[in-house]
Amino acid sequence: MKIEPSVKYSHTILSQVIKPGDNVIDATVGKGNDTEFMANLVGNHGHVYGFDLQEEAIKYTKKRLTDKSLINNVDLFNTGHENIHSYVDKPISAAIFNLGYLPGSDKNIITKPETTLSALQDCLNLLSVNGIVIAVIYYGHDGGKEEKNAVLDWAKKLDQKKYTSLQYQFINQIHCPPILLAIQKKSN
Ligand code: SAM
């Protein structure tokens, strides 16, 4: 057994939680790694709602999913995740965020504390009991530490009767290894 890095562990958690037929959210589509992973898990009767500010990311992922015949159960929205509440009104079993910037793209387009927190809260509002919201937090870039602190402060204050909140990170690695935050809903 090898202890998994945060990104790999996020997929291990998603694969335990998401069942065929579920509705789920990818709040930061980027190149579509998580979108594709979740589209395979929800199957033909489920649905993935994907959000990204960058048109380039949405176009890239649309092609990727079309090539793999997965696009029929995915809706991709070229808008900020702070608008999730305007696009999704069904209960979800999972949501994932990869915070930071898209590697190989414009490093000035980063996720930001205020909009990230508003989207995380929207996802908790849509979450079914036992469902999980994950944030993989990259914070080595300018502005990253402020966002990391804001998200972890928010997650630490969630009512423990309603949510379990987990922080997972290698602590002896250089270069700010990403933190995985996983929040599970225990009750309504
Ligand atoms: N999961 C992605 C993948 O598989 O490639 C990587 C995501 S990347 C770390 C972060 C993404 O968040 C970027 O594509 C960026 O455009 C997007 N982003 C930044 N602010 C956003 C916002 N307010 N709403 C939605 N997406 C946002």
Side-chain angles (χ1 to χ4, degrees), residues 140-164:
H141 56 285
D142 279 352
K145 283 205 178 63
E146 290 76 10
E147 184 178 40
K148 168 188 77 101
N149 292 338
V151 169
L152 293 179
D153 284 351
W154 168 82
K156 279 177 195 162
K157 289 185 194 133
L158 291 171
D159 181 352
Q160 69 170 32
K161 292 196 191 92
K162 286 192 180 171
Y163 301 101
T164 42

Side-chain angles (χ1 to χ4, degrees), residues 81-85 117-126:
H81 43 224
E82 56 275 23
N83 298 314
I84 281 173
H85 59 271
L117 288 178
S118 140
L120 281 166
Q121 187 58 57
D122 277 353
C123 288
L124 287 194
N125 295 344
L126 292 164

Side-chain angles (χ1 to χ4, degrees), residues 34-51:
D34 298 327
T35 324
E36 179 180 337
F37 189 73
M38 295 202 289
N40 277 309
L41 292 172
V42 300
N44 292 333
H45 299 294
H47 211 84
V48 184
Y49 300 90
F51 296 83

Side-chain angles (χ1 to χ4, degrees), residues 46-100:
H47 211 84
V48 184
Y49 300 90
F51 296 83
D52 203 295
L53 278 181
Q54 295 191 68
E55 193 180 1
E56 177 197 334
I58 296 294
K59 275 191 186 156
Y60 181 96
T61 300
K62 190 170 185 188
K63 178 169 182 339
R64 174 179 180 162
L65 296 175
T66 304
D67 290 349
K68 297 192 173 171
S69 303
L70 288 167
I71 196 69
N72 287 345
N73 57 338
V74 177
D75 271 331
L76 296 173
F77 301 108
N78 183 195
T79 185
H81 43 224
E82 56 275 23
N83 298 314
I84 281 173
H85 59 271
S86 305
Y87 292 87
V88 188
D89 59 4
K90 294 185 177 146
I92 58 167
S93 64
I96 188 156
F97 294 67
N98 272 205
L99 303 181

Side-chain angles (χ1 to χ4, degrees), residues 26-34 51-54 57 79-82 98-103 109-111 115 138:
D26 184 353
T28 50
V29 167
K31 295 222 156 89
N33 294 310
D34 298 327
F51 296 83
D52 203 295
L53 278 181
Q54 295 191 68
T79 185
H81 43 224
E82 56 275 23
N98 272 205
L99 303 181
Y101 63 89
L102 184 61
I109 304 179
I110 55 171
T111 53
T115 41
Y138 294 86

